Amino acid sequence: MERSADGGLPRVLPSVSAPRFVGRAVELHRLRAALARPPAAVLVEGEAGIGKSRLVQEALDEPGIAARRPLAAMCPPFREALTLGPVVDAARDARPDVAELALTPLAGVLRPLFPEWGQDLPPAPEALSDAGAARHRLFRALAELLDAMGVGVLILEDVHWADEATLDFLLFLASRRPRRMSLVLTYRPEDVAPESALMRLTSRPPEGTGYVRICLGALDVPQTAELMSSMLDGEHVSDAFAAFLQERTDGVPLAIEESVRLLRDRADLVRRDGEWVRRTLADIAVPPTIRDAVAERASRLTTVAQRVLQAAAVLAEPVGLPVLSTVSGLPNNVVSRAVDAAVRSGLLGEDRVGRISFRHALAARAVYDMTPAPDLRALHRGAGRSLRAMTPQPVARLAHHYREAGETGQWRQYAERTADLALASGDHLTAVGLLHELLTESDPPAASAARWAQKMPVLAFSGLVGRGDLTRALRRVLDAETLVPHDRAAVRIQLGRMLLHAGEYAAGAAELERALPDLADDPFQAAWAMNTLGSPPSTLISAGEHRRWLDRAAVAARLPMTADQRLALVVDRATSLLDMGDEAGWVVAAELPDTAATPEGMMQLARGGLNIGNAAMRWGRYDEARGMLTTALARADQHRYQRLHDMILVTLVHLDWFTGAWDGLAERAAALAVVDAEPLLQLDAVLITALVDGAVGGSAADPGHAAVTEGGAGTVEERLRQVLDAGLRRGIVDVPLEPAAALARIRLAEGLAAEALELTEGPADVVARKNIWLWATEFAPVRTGALLAVERPDQARQFVTDLTQGLAGKNLPAADAALEMCRGVLAEGEGRSVEAAAAFGRAAAVWEGLPRPYEALLAGERRVGCLLAAGDRDTGLAELAHVQAGFTALGARADADRVHLARRAAGEQVRQKWRGGRRGYGDQLSPRELEVVRLMLTGLTNPAIARALSRSPKTIAAQLNSAMRKYGVTSRTALAVGLTQAGITPSQDHTTGARSDL
């Protein structure tokens, strides 16, 4: 009995029970219907406290769904993630009879995750060095376990807290064919990071799946009244009271429930005329947030109960009474009574096996946040002591608790063990994240840092290297000068590998050279470092110096080492020799076997196929390149080497550019340009999008679907410049060669010869200093033309002479074709038209034989110009028609249009090919195009022209591109020159700079 607040007669406070399921009938029907038609993928989203978990639980209570053996997992809000922890814990809690599951040998991968099942799981397979392959194998094994357990529905709650491995596993399950398992995921959309893999699940529904997305919203006033009534023995709640509470809680069910409980605790609920009402509005206060309501309710419990709540908040997972007793520091009987009080208050709940936890994560967070920092550290310390006694030890949670307790030594111990577990499971990315934290977030002893650095899987950390803190941490360790030689060498080698993998070639090579004096007792690492220093892209040293490093590596490789290590060295040596244009590389490549006995060996063979196939492509041996790359791709797919798979794909895309297989090429390249954490792969893919778009639509072409690394999408020139700048910044000496050549071609076509020449200065310097003339293939012809255009004929002749000598005695088909192009350009510039036509003809024949049709057609076009200059009009015009047809068939529209205009300029009667749509103005500018180009001549940008003419920027861009095609040019600058020569003047209504884009 309590006295009323106004001093009246005593009254009985209402009993408050758990609320019924209210206001979600439609959503429940959709969820049950989806799960009744497996496989389904159901995404349940909504803000905290909106009722996602309750909706899922109501669906699982349906007998038909319960019969499908649902497995529920919860993602904890821990910073430290155990590999696939939520799913692993749920499978462990299900306590299957593993010996009766008839698992395949693949399940041996699961041993590190389930050490207590060691007697019943198959033997562990051999480790894989490729991060993608290792993770995929782990996913397959865990999926096999769930299938063997008969799990028909996998529920994962709070997916916004899921670690990367768990999210990738969900994507794996969603994409499996055939699909067996339904997925139900709950999450808060506001807490999902934009880069989260969950976005791929929510934005691209899995094919062949019953996809349902349920968005839970607020309860309305009648639903609020129904929920309140269900907590008050079903008795009526006044409409005014329900409206009042609904407004102040925004209709969030958990907020309504917490407010009703708090109002009861405050004695703010009054029964009047057979219904529950509130006291006067002036007297009642509803906390503005769930957190405030929980904090006030918790403060009304006893000090002992509050301590138990704090322990439960720190643990943040269901635990038994003994654990709560240890963490809180209270006797079992005292904890038991306190738990009963907290359960009655509705803050804590008990699951089916008697474990205690908060009923909602928000309530736990509220209690955690109001706990004093010293108490939190003591409670986390107690949690560590308690969890250490478990078998198997929950190492990720122990790392979490010791970090929060400020116990750095214990945190390092368990974080390293968690990383070891991830490595043993094949989850390289999780391991890298943990090791990265160990190296960068503490000031570890040098020996520990050296050990952690050596554990870093080299194929998994490029994304972290780019942040810089990891390399700085390793350099601090090296600067301390406290390492023994072996550890110092190991750290330097690993740092060098990290830098090389991230594309920082010059810095990586420098670290490897510094490591060599300490590698006398490790022949493989010494040979590997020497081979890497012998790799031409790594530094600006000469080919002779590279060859000396390679020869030193070959000597070191004769010392004892494993077969897989020796195989890796053979791949490296063949790659480097072929990169230098050395025929000896093919002899070394022939030493590679057809197969290997281990997964590591097969990975090296796949890598060899990629590297040697890429070299064959650079040489111009395109058929051989395709064969090698196709075989390597099959090996990568068979063994799930994801990184190699992607790199082979982008190399095949590059090969398709060379060989004229352009259908869908830009889209395929654009898809590869967004592959995460692979900067070199992205750069190559972006380069291809730019080259294809430039050939198809001119240098100002819209990038379409192409995505560009390190700066976003842009015009062809912008993308070429981005690739060029990234290659220069990273110190990869061969990457800038091709984009520089493409940009120089554009500048030379615009009449900007000085700029074209400047673009080729860097590549020419690299080739001369390294004495690797194979690398001149792409830029040599345009450099020769630029030298002649700026009236430096002597330098042009000397460059062609140097190229001739550099290629003498070598069988490099693509470079030989480029040399013939240079000879033709030189002869044409000196007025020797007949000799020039012959040289261009030889170049076209070589290009065609490779085949490289686009270059063959460009050479043919140059040959025609020389034939016409020599007076052979009939032959020239016949060949020019063939060239135009070739460009058209290839899809090179800008080039085809240019040749078409050339034929007309030569006096040939030709019709413009109609590309469909409304027939327009032929080669003449339409009135609307004329408006646009006259405004362009005033200096206005596309957006400013669009505003001036009340058109969209996309329309303006299309009209400018059309004008460029009609004038046979590929840039705004060249178009402006052509318009001026044609007598078209700037618009008088606008002057340069009159309109601003700001």
Side-chain angles (χ1 to χ4, degrees):
M1 299 286 287
E2 292 191 11
R3 191 164 298 276
S4 63
D6 56 7
L9 295 175
R11 55 186 172 81
V12 177
L13 293 177
S15 61
V16 176
S17 57
R20 290 198 304 271
F21 187 64
V22 169
R24 308 295 190 202
V26 173
E27 292 88 347
L28 179 61
H29 174 75
R30 292 181 64 205
L31 177 52
R32 285 178 171 172
L35 294 180
R37 296 188 298 273
V42 184
L43 306 177
V44 182
E45 67 175 45
E47 63 179 292
I50 204 68
K52 303 181 292 294
S53 299
R54 182 68 183 273
L55 174 68
V56 172
Q57 188 55 55
E58 292 289 330
L60 296 182
D61 288 341
E62 171 76 21
I65 297 173
R68 298 194 61 228
R69 296 190 182 179
L71 183 70
M74 181 78 69
C75 299
F78 293 156
R79 181 174 177 178
E80 290 80 4
L82 179 67
T83 297
L84 300 168
V87 181
V88 169
D89 287 344
R92 177 180 288 117
D93 291 343
R95 299 180 180 178
D97 187 349
V98 180
E100 298 298 322
L101 292 183
L103 297 169
T104 71
L106 176 66
V109 175
L110 301 175
R111 279 178 166 270
L113 298 180
F114 300 97
E116 70 274 27
W117 296 352
Q119 297 183 67
D120 299 317
L121 287 173
E126 202 165 340
L128 298 176
S129 60
D130 182 88
R135 178 170 282 205
H136 192 272
R137 184 172 69 175
L138 175 62
F139 290 170
R140 288 166 50 220
L142 187 56
E144 177 184 301
L145 172 65
L146 297 181
D147 290 340
M149 291 170 58
V151 175
V153 183
L154 177 63
I155 305 102
L156 208 62
E157 298 233 43
D158 293 330
V159 182
H160 50 275
W161 282 328
D163 61 281
E164 185 178 358
T166 299
L167 288 174
D168 286 346
F169 179 61
L170 293 175
L171 289 169
F172 169 80
L173 290 178
S175 62
R176 274 202 308 171
R177 296 291 181 271
R179 280 282 307 280
R180 305 179 182 88
M181 192 183 306
S182 293
L183 298 176
V184 179
L185 312 179
T186 74
Y187 62 97
R188 305 175 198 167
E190 68 274 14
D191 289 338
V192 178
E195 67 276 9
S196 170
L198 180 59
M199 300 299 291
R200 300 208 295 274
L201 266 176
T202 58
S203 62
R204 295 199 296 270
E207 295 181 6
T209 299
Y211 176 79
V212 175
R213 187 171 184 166
I214 299 173
C215 303
L216 296 183
L219 300 182
D220 58 22
V221 173
Q223 292 167 339
T224 299
E226 184 181 356
L227 180 66
M228 296 169 64
S229 176
S230 72
M231 297 179 67
L232 300 170
D233 292 334
E235 298 192 27
H236 186 65
V237 174
S238 72
D239 293 341
F241 190 13
F244 168 82
L245 207 57
Q246 194 273 348
E247 179 184 356
R248 282 155 178 77
T249 60
D250 293 327
V252 175
L254 180 63
I256 297 169
E257 178 186 350
E258 291 297 327
S259 296
V260 170
R261 292 184 185 277
L262 180 58
L263 293 175
R264 187 267 183 200
D265 291 348
R266 289 177 177 172
D268 279 337
L269 292 178
V270 179
R271 184 172 175 78
R272 185 180 298 149
D273 298 329
E275 63 181 7
W276 290 105
V277 299
R278 60 182 170 85
R279 290 190 293 144
T280 62
L281 182 58
D283 294 334
I284 195 169
V286 175
T289 66
I290 297 172
R291 182 170 297 184
D292 293 338
V294 170
E296 184 174 340
R297 287 180 54 218
S299 69
R300 294 175 180 272
L301 296 174
T302 67
T303 303
V304 170
Q306 289 180 34
R307 182 68 174 179
V308 171
L309 286 178
Q310 292 170 347
V314 163
L315 287 162
E317 61 179 326
V319 296
L321 284 175
V323 174
L324 274 177
S325 177
T326 301
V327 176
S328 65
L330 299 170
N332 279 345
N333 60 334
V334 174
V335 169
S336 179
R337 290 193 297 270
V339 165
D340 289 342
V343 169
R344 285 196 303 272
S345 76
L347 289 171
L348 296 184
E350 190 173 359
D351 66 14
R352 294 172 183 174
V353 294
R355 297 179 303 180
I356 307 299
S357 64
F358 273 88
R359 293 182 59 244
H360 198 281
L362 278 182
R365 191 71 221 183
V367 172
Y368 189 95
D369 287 345
M370 69 180 187
T371 304
D375 291 347
L376 284 177
R377 287 193 293 272
L379 289 165
H380 278 293
R381 197 174 298 115
R385 286 195 306 270
S386 178
L387 297 182
R388 249 184 3 211
M390 292 184 175
T391 303
Q393 286 186 332
V395 290
R397 280 174 283 175
L398 282 163
H400 163 73
H401 288 301
Y402 281 121
R403 175 199 283 274
E404 299 304 319
E407 299 278 352
T408 304
Q410 295 280 9
W411 166 65
R412 288 173 181 162
Q413 174 188 342
Y414 286 105
E416 182 175 5
R417 287 182 58 187
T418 306
D420 290 341
L421 185 59
L423 288 171
S425 305
D427 183 13
H428 293 190
L429 294 180
T430 295
V432 164
L434 289 162
L435 294 168
H436 174 265
E437 289 183 10
L438 283 167
L439 284 163
T440 59
E441 294 190 15
S442 64
D443 188 15
S448 297
R451 185 175 67 253
W452 299 333
Q454 292 176 69
K455 291 182 178 183
M456 280 275 193
V458 66
L459 297 183
F461 50 44
S462 59
L464 291 173
V465 175
R467 288 164 47 180
D469 53 354
L470 182 56
T471 53
R472 285 193 296 272
L474 292 184
R475 286 195 169 110
R476 281 198 303 271
V477 173
L478 292 169
D479 292 342
E481 298 183 354
T482 58
L483 295 174
V484 299
H486 179 273
D487 285 346
R488 183 170 59 242
V491 173
R492 284 207 185 279
I493 285 285
Q494 195 68 316
L495 176 58
R497 288 160 68 93
M498 291 177 185
L499 291 168
L500 290 172
H501 185 62
E504 305 290 345
Y505 273 63
E511 293 297 339
L512 295 182
E513 189 163 3
R514 292 191 191 105
L516 285 173
D518 294 325
L519 288 173
D521 61 344
D522 192 337
F524 170 70
Q525 289 290 359
W528 177 86
M530 293 170 190
N531 258 345
T532 304
L533 291 167
S535 175
S538 60
T539 65
L540 279 173
I541 63 176
S542 69
E545 188 65 21
H546 284 304
R547 185 61 186 262
R548 282 188 285 275
W549 278 116
L550 293 174
D551 291 343
R552 286 183 61 183
V555 173
R558 297 172 191 155
L559 297 173
M561 61 184 67
T562 69
D564 290 342
Q565 289 174 336
R566 202 176 306 280
L567 184 58
L569 296 177
V570 171
V571 170
D572 290 343
R573 180 175 176 81
T575 301
S576 296
L577 289 170
L578 292 173
D579 280 349
M580 291 188 288
D582 191 330
E583 290 275 357
W586 297 113
V587 178
V588 177
E591 298 175 13
L592 294 174
D594 293 331
T595 189
T598 66
E600 173 66 21
M602 292 304 297
M603 192 271 285
Q604 294 299 339
L605 288 179
R607 186 173 69 91
L610 165 63
N611 291 358
I612 298 168
N614 180 70
M617 178 180 72
R618 299 297 176 183
W619 281 48
R621 297 164 69 154
Y622 296 146
D623 289 342
E624 291 176 63
R626 191 171 300 279
M628 294 175 190
L629 292 168
T630 302
T631 300
L633 184 64
R635 284 173 171 157
D637 287 343
Q638 179 183 357
H639 296 280
R640 311 293 180 182
Y641 302 140
Q642 187 60 48
R643 179 175 181 269
L644 284 173
H645 168 92
D646 292 340
M647 295 181 74
I648 295 166
L649 280 184
V650 81
T651 308
L652 283 167
V653 162
H654 209 139
L655 180 61
D656 286 342
W657 156 253
F658 284 146
T659 59
W662 290 5
D663 287 345
L665 185 59
E667 291 75 15
R668 285 188 285 131
L672 289 165
V674 296
V675 173
D676 295 336
E678 291 295 346
L680 302 186
L681 184 154
Q682 289 178 325
L683 290 175
D684 205 20
V686 170
L687 172 64
I688 300 305
T689 68
L691 293 173
V692 174
D693 284 349
V696 171
S699 65
D702 187 290
H705 300 294
V708 183
T709 184
E710 305 188 23
T715 65
V716 168
E717 291 189 29
E718 288 168 345
R719 282 176 276 164
L720 291 172
R721 174 59 68 178
Q722 288 162 355
V723 177
L724 173 61
D725 290 346
L728 293 172
R729 184 174 63 253
R730 293 175 178 277
I732 318 172
V733 295
D734 62 338
V735 165
L737 304 179
E738 200 167 353
L743 281 168
R745 280 185 175 185
I746 293 172
R747 292 290 175 267
L748 192 59
E750 293 172 341
L752 302 174
E755 292 185 25
L757 182 60
E758 183 180 0
L759 282 163
T760 65
E761 292 287 5
D765 180 62
V766 167
V767 168
R769 290 172 66 178
K770 297 186 76 67
N771 195 29
I772 302 177
W773 291 92
L774 167 65
W775 290 10
T777 301
E778 304 303 325
F779 72 84
V782 68
R783 177 169 177 78
T784 305
L787 285 168
L788 291 170
V790 297
E791 299 182 355
R792 298 183 191 174
D794 291 342
Q795 291 184 31
R797 283 191 289 272
Q798 185 59 52
F799 176 70
V800 175
T801 298
D802 292 342
L803 180 61
T804 302
Q805 293 174 349
L807 297 177
K810 299 181 183 297
N811 180 21
L812 301 168
D816 290 341
L819 175 58
E820 290 293 352
M821 288 293 297
C822 292
R823 289 168 174 162
V825 171
L826 188 61
E828 184 182 27
E830 294 176 345
R832 295 180 282 117
S833 299
V834 174
E835 291 180 40
F840 286 131
R842 291 192 297 273
V846 177
W847 288 129
E848 188 64 38
L850 295 183
R852 191 165 167 180
Y854 186 54
E855 294 297 333
L857 291 166
L858 290 173
E861 184 184 0
R862 296 292 296 267
R863 168 178 160 79
V864 168
C866 295
L867 290 172
L868 293 176
D872 191 350
R873 184 173 183 277
D874 291 342
T875 304
L877 290 180
E879 291 189 12
L880 198 58
H882 171 75
V883 168
Q884 182 182 357
F887 279 135
T888 301
L890 195 58
R893 294 183 302 176
D895 299 284
D897 289 342
R898 182 184 64 251
V899 174
H900 174 81
L901 290 175
R903 292 174 67 190
R904 294 189 59 175
E908 188 176 5
Q909 297 297 315
V910 291
R911 295 177 60 188
Q912 177 72 27
K913 182 178 180 180
W914 181 50
R915 293 193 175 99
R918 184 178 65 182
R919 294 187 182 273
Y921 293 85
D923 293 334
Q924 303 300 312
L925 296 179
S926 71
R928 291 172 68 83
E929 290 168 348
L930 187 60
E931 285 182 307
V932 171
V933 300
R934 292 188 67 200
L935 285 174
M936 184 204 73
L937 288 174
T938 70
L940 293 184
T941 61
N942 286 14
I945 296 172
R947 288 194 295 271
L949 298 177
S950 299
R951 301 175 196 168
S952 73
K954 187 173 182 180
T955 298
I956 298 301
Q959 290 167 338
L960 282 175
N961 283 337
S962 175
M964 290 180 199
R965 285 196 299 272
K966 291 177 179 180
Y967 273 76
V969 296
T970 59
S971 72
R972 289 169 65 104
T973 302
L975 176 61
V977 172
L979 292 169
T980 303
Q981 292 173 346
I984 297 175
T985 60
S987 172
Q988 297 303 309
D989 296 331
H990 297 80
T991 58
T992 301
R995 296 291 295 271
S996 171
D997 290 330
L998 297 180

